[in-house]
Amino acid sequence: MSKRVLTTESGAPVADNQNSASAGVGGPLLLQDQHLLEKLARFNRERIPERVVHARGSGAYGHFEVTDDVTAFTHADFLSETGRRTEVFVRFSTVADSLGGADAVRDPRGFAVKFYTAEGNYDLVGNNTPVFFVKDPVKFPDFIHSQKRDPFTGRQEPDNVWDFWAHSPEATHQVTWLMGDRGIPASYRHMNGYGSHTYQWTNAEGEAFFVKYHFKTNQGVRSLSSEQAAEIAGNDPNSHQTDLLQAIERGVHPSWTLYVQVMPASEAADYRFNPFDLTKVWPHRDYPLQRVGRLVLDRNPDNVFAEVEQAAFSPNNFVPGIGPSPDKMLQGRLFAYADAHRYRLGVNHTLLAVNAPKATTARNYGRDGLMAVNSQGRYAKNYEPNSYDGPVETGRPLSAPLPVSGHTGTHEAPQHTKDDDFVQAGDLYRLMSEEERQRLVANIAGGLSQVSRDDVIEKNLAHFHAADPEYGRRVAEAVRALRED
């Protein structure tokens, strides 16, 4: 059988792919060598701007299967009957480091799921922690700047990290999570995932419920100590990518069971914690976990760049029966994520295979822009309404309306009876075993002791004292001991 012919991007056959055209043997190269110029020009443009956060990631395809009836809470089609399967793509990631960083580091992990439903793509973009460091999106750029490389030194600086946390007591709960045993997952397969935000479900009767998503790993939670992680990161910076790839290739398909906490919308206003505060959880004794289904990953991408790096998840990709809540951080992400993808990938990034709907067809009036391939033919109009049988609106909202009141302006979040920044951090500390507390204290002290300013150290210690007196005392003693060495 004859070999396929190598061609240029315009389809012309390539005569020589080993030697550039030159002016005589050993002479200077020629500008007319179209194949050489095309190869070098494409090579210069092979990379796109990496994500500012969640730059380093891995992904896989699979399916989600409904195992329990949740139609009392949502009329989302892909959740409408037990046994229903929906194709998914999942991307895992670290948060703070760049594309070239190591996997086995102490950092939250992104846990993003794209459901290719018959009513459009639904993107659930969360983390492996149920809470986050800040509760208002106006603080998010500052937070990320404090955690990433310093503009002068070009490295992550303990002074910056802990200085921001010193001025952000709301971060105490997430810091306790991050510095605890689950701060460094052993692999992507061995960690839980959370929607983190509060979302709205609406049933067929129009009743609204607020929900939180919990993906519980069926492989069991496994984590690394700081010492184990340092060794693994040095030996194989791609440890989590390698683990996920090889597990799926040998037929060991990782899975998670999805549960939700469900709060009737009428209970939100009087709940003791602000249910829309991303730094808070809903205790399970108040709203128990209710099983929904099973997520399974069983196919690796064929091309990491095309399918993982170019995968675009946007929290504003809802489907009928699911919508947003007044969660401030979620509201900010509804804009920020889609805008980031338009910057990185172009306005037509939704036409890429990994981002395009699979169980339905997108029909809209978007045309043109960089890499446009959606002309839709000579008779398709690019405006609405029209007289040419173009797609029309349904008049049916995706979710129930959110009630609003009061005056516009910059407002602090409404205070509920238990809304301070330390109660839940203290609760988490007291849930830990003595061995877990020892490791938590050691992890915090290891970073905080490197801070150069005493006032920054004292502000952070005050947060741990406020969460739990023993917690604060032990961290203070550990920091003092390390600084005296």
Side-chain angles (χ1 to χ4, degrees):
M1 189 175 74
S2 61
K3 294 184 177 180
R4 291 182 299 165
V5 172
L6 175 67
T7 75
T8 64
E9 293 185 28
S10 63
V14 173
D16 190 341
N17 195 41
Q18 315 305 317
N19 303 286
S20 303
S22 61
V25 177
L29 302 187
L30 300 177
L31 186 64
Q32 70 183 43
D33 188 346
Q34 186 264 351
H35 179 51
L36 169 65
L37 299 186
E38 184 177 83
K39 285 186 73 174
L40 293 180
R42 167 166 280 280
F43 179 77
N44 286 344
R45 293 162 174 80
E46 280 184 355
R47 294 296 171 261
I48 58 177
E50 68 177 45
R51 291 167 169 86
V52 178
V53 288
H54 298 279
R56 181 175 182 82
S58 302
Y61 293 94
H63 66 267
F64 177 78
E65 181 175 355
V66 178
T67 57
D68 294 78
D69 183 5
V70 292
T71 56
F73 309 117
T74 178
H75 65 89
D77 179 70
F78 78 104
L79 299 175
S80 62
E81 58 183 324
T82 58
R84 182 77 172 266
R85 282 195 175 189
T86 300
E87 184 179 355
V88 300
F89 181 77
V90 177
R91 185 177 187 270
F92 308 103
S93 56
T94 54
V95 173
D97 214 341
S98 62
L99 190 59
D103 286 337
V105 294
R106 189 172 296 280
D107 198 18
R109 299 299 190 277
F111 194 110
V113 186
K114 186 181 293 292
F115 299 85
Y116 298 103
T117 90
E119 295 183 305
N121 291 350
Y122 171 45
D123 290 352
L124 181 57
V125 189
N127 286 324
N128 72 326
T129 61
V131 293
F132 196 62
F133 298 93
V134 294
K135 63 180 73 174
D136 193 300
V138 77
K139 297 183 67 173
F140 184 75
D142 299 298
F143 163 65
I144 293 299
H145 288 164
S146 75
Q147 308 298 300
K148 292 185 77 75
R149 297 176 187 272
D150 182 86
F152 170 63
T153 66
R155 65 181 189 179
Q156 189 181 55
E157 292 291 347
D159 275 358
N160 300 352
V161 170
W162 289 96
D163 185 38
F164 182 88
W165 289 342
H167 290 88
S168 304
E170 68 204 68
T172 308
H173 192 187
Q174 174 73 323
V175 170
T176 304
W177 267 91
L178 178 63
M179 296 300 172
D181 281 359
R182 298 192 181 189
I184 315 178
S187 79
Y188 291 132
R189 296 183 298 126
H190 293 93
M191 68 181 193
N192 294 335
Y194 302 89
S196 302
H197 296 288
T198 299
Y199 293 90
Q200 186 204 78
W201 277 7
T202 309
N203 66 17
E205 288 71 42
E207 295 177 288
F209 302 86
F210 293 118
V211 300
K212 284 186 175 291
Y213 294 88
H214 301 251
F215 290 90
K216 299 290 188 178
T217 175
N218 295 320
Q219 291 70 237
V221 172
R222 286 179 50 203
S223 303
L224 302 172
S225 67
S226 297
E227 296 75 19
Q228 290 171 321
E231 181 178 355
I232 291 173
N235 291 332
D236 181 11
N238 306 297
S239 57
H240 288 31
Q241 163 69 12
T242 301
D243 175 86
L244 183 65
L245 173 74
Q246 293 181 350
I248 295 175
E249 286 297 292
R250 64 177 187 267
V252 179
H253 298 154
S255 67
W256 290 258
T257 300
L258 172 61
Y259 299 87
V260 291
Q261 291 177 282
V262 181
M263 174 190 292
S266 60
E267 297 180 10
D270 296 324
Y271 188 48
R272 66 183 187 279
F273 302 113
N274 180 352
F276 312 116
D277 181 347
L278 187 55
T279 68
K280 304 287 194 303
V281 298
W282 303 352
H284 291 183
R285 65 180 178 273
D286 296 342
Y287 297 99
L289 296 180
Q290 302 189 46
R291 193 175 65 178
V292 180
R294 183 180 176 88
L295 173 71
V296 179
L297 300 182
D298 55 18
R299 179 166 67 89
N300 283 310
D302 293 324
N303 184 290
V304 172
F305 178 81
E307 299 167 84
V308 179
E309 185 64 12
Q310 292 194 128
F313 296 84
S314 300
N316 59 359
N317 285 345
F318 293 113
V319 293
I322 303 177
S325 78
D327 180 335
K328 282 188 172 184
M329 282 294 291
L330 173 59
Q331 294 284 324
R333 294 176 83 200
L334 298 181
F335 161 76
Y337 272 58
D339 186 60
H341 301 317
R342 295 184 189 104
Y343 161 67
R344 295 181 61 247
L345 303 170
V347 71
N348 287 307
H349 67 273
T350 55
L351 303 179
L352 296 171
V354 69
N355 299 322
K358 296 184 183 297
T360 188
T361 301
R363 303 178 188 88
N364 54 59
Y365 295 94
R367 303 287 192 279
D368 306 337
L370 189 67
M371 299 298 290
V373 293
N374 57 337
S375 71
Q376 301 184 30
R378 66 177 65 180
Y379 300 114
K381 302 303 178 183
N382 64 346
Y383 60 88
E384 194 279 333
N386 62 63
S387 303
Y388 296 86
D389 198 30
V392 297
E393 63 196 22
T394 67
R396 298 189 301 271
L398 300 185
S399 57
L402 297 172
V404 296
S405 63
H407 301 281
T408 60
T410 55
H411 304 286
E412 292 186 4
Q415 289 293 301
H416 292 234
T417 57
K418 292 291 186 180
D419 268 344
D420 69 40
D421 295 319
F422 309 111
V423 167
Q424 292 197 353
D427 289 342
L428 179 58
Y429 174 81
R430 288 184 289 274
L431 281 174
M432 296 179 180
S433 67
E434 174 55 27
E435 292 75 17
E436 289 175 317
R437 293 182 190 183
Q438 290 174 4
R439 291 188 290 269
L440 169 67
V441 169
N443 291 334
I444 293 174
L448 191 54
S449 63
Q450 300 177 51
V451 173
S452 61
R453 292 183 50 151
D454 290 342
D455 61 324
V456 172
I457 294 175
E458 290 303 319
K459 285 178 181 177
N460 279 285
L461 291 177
H463 298 167
F464 301 125
H465 277 292
D468 184 278
E470 177 193 283
Y471 186 9
R473 175 182 58 77
R474 293 175 69 165
V475 173
E477 291 172 352
V479 169
R480 189 180 309 112
L482 289 172
R483 285 170 64 83
E484 289 175 351
D485 282 349

